[in-house]
Amino acid sequence: MKKIVFLSSVVALLLSVATACSFVIKTQEEVSKDFLSSAEKISQDLDQIFQYAGTTADKAEIIEINMSHSADDTTDIKNDISAVIIDPADKNLIKRYFWFDNKDMRNSYKTEEVTITDFAGTEVIEGYDKYKDMITTYADFKPYIDNYDTYCQEALKAAGYEGNGYVRYFSYSKERGGSITIGYRGKDVSKSFDIAEDKKHIKK
C-alpha cells in the first residue's frame, strides 16, 4: 500500500467573483445543499481545477479526488475540492490542485507538490513508471458523479442524524474506491460509508 504526503504549498491564486467557481455563502443549510450535495456543482468545480492545472477532464491522469465541507461554524464555513494528478508538464511529478473557500480566502486555487511513499513512510516512490498502477481517469470517476445524488440520499438516511446530517466529505482513488462521510451539525460526530463495487449505491 502507498501513502500520499503533501510537501509544500507552491502558489495560491485568488479568483474574482466573475469566474465559474464563484461561491456565495447564504445560510448554513443552503451552503450544505449547494456544495457537496450537488453533483453538478462538483463536476463544474473539477472542470475548473483541471483547467487551472493546464489539462482537461478527459486527459487528466488522476491519483485521488477529495472534497470536504465544514458546516459546523457559521462564522467560517469551509469548503474545498482537490485533485491529485500527474503534472501535465512533467509526468515524473505529482501535484495536488485544489479550489477552496473560507472567510480569509474566497474562491481560491492552490497547488501543492506531492510525494508518495510506502505505507511505513520509509521508501519514497518516484517516477512515472512507478505511478502507473495508481492512475485512474475521469471516465472511471464519472459513474461516481452520475450516482452522487443517490449516495447522498442513502448515506444521509443510513447515518440516522435526521435533519442534523450533512455531507461532510467524499473521496475517491483507484486503490480505495469511493467513500462518503456524513457529519452531525453542531457536533464532532460523523459516519462514513464506502461506495459499492458497482458504483451505484453505498455499502450498507
Side-chain angles (χ1 to χ4, degrees):
M1 184 177 291
K2 302 178 181 68
K3 180 170 64 175
I4 295 176
V5 179
F6 301 114
L7 289 179
S8 59
S9 175
V10 178
V11 64
L13 175 64
L14 288 177
L15 302 183
S16 70
V17 294
T19 67
C21 274
S22 61
F23 185 77
V24 179
I25 290 182
K26 302 173 185 177
T27 68
Q28 192 166 325
E29 288 73 22
E30 288 175 322
V31 169
S32 179
K33 291 176 182 177
D34 289 346
F35 191 61
L36 285 194
S37 293
S38 170
E40 181 179 1
K41 174 79 168 100
I42 291 167
S43 181
Q44 290 172 351
D45 286 341
L46 282 171
D47 282 343
Q48 290 296 312
I49 287 172
F50 293 136
Q51 181 179 339
Y52 170 60
T55 187
T56 59
D58 60 329
K59 294 180 180 179
E61 296 180 287
I62 300 166
I63 302 293
E64 188 173 88
I65 291 175
N66 292 293
M67 301 172 277
S68 68
H69 170 66
S70 173
D72 289 334
D73 185 351
T74 56
T75 64
D76 186 14
I77 298 174
K78 301 175 182 178
N79 307 284
D80 71 71
I81 297 179
S82 69
V84 178
I85 66 173
I86 302 296
D87 187 350
D90 184 346
K91 289 186 177 294
N92 288 313
L93 294 179
I94 297 178
K95 291 184 178 179
R96 179 187 186 222
Y97 295 89
F98 65 103
W99 167 86
F100 63 100
D101 181 274
N102 57 55
K103 68 179 181 180
D104 297 320
M105 299 284 282
R106 291 293 176 211
N107 302 302
S108 304
Y109 283 96
K110 193 174 182 179
T111 306
E112 291 178 337
E113 291 185 4
V114 173
T115 188
I116 296 178
T117 71
D118 60 10
F119 194 73
T122 57
E123 180 184 353
V124 176
I125 298 167
E126 297 180 289
Y128 183 75
D129 288 341
K130 294 183 179 180
Y131 301 149
K132 282 183 177 179
D133 63 335
M134 302 175 64
I135 293 173
T136 186
T137 66
Y138 191 79
D140 293 327
F141 177 66
K142 191 175 184 301
Y144 291 93
I145 291 292
D146 293 341
N147 295 302
Y148 186 78
D149 293 338
T150 298
Y151 307 154
C152 291
Q153 294 170 12
E154 292 179 345
L156 285 165
K157 182 178 180 179
Y161 295 157
E162 304 299 333
N164 293 308
Y166 70 97
V167 182
R168 182 174 181 177
Y169 190 74
F170 184 86
S171 67
Y172 164 76
S173 69
K174 181 178 179 180
E175 185 176 39
R176 298 190 305 273
S179 67
I180 187 169
T181 298
I182 304 300
Y184 190 107
R185 202 178 307 280
K187 295 183 179 180
D188 188 19
V189 176
S190 64
K191 292 182 180 179
S192 296
F193 304 90
D194 290 333
I195 307 303
E197 285 75 9
D198 64 5
K199 304 179 184 179
K200 294 181 179 180
H201 301 278
I202 66 169
K203 291 182 179 179
K204 297 181 180 179

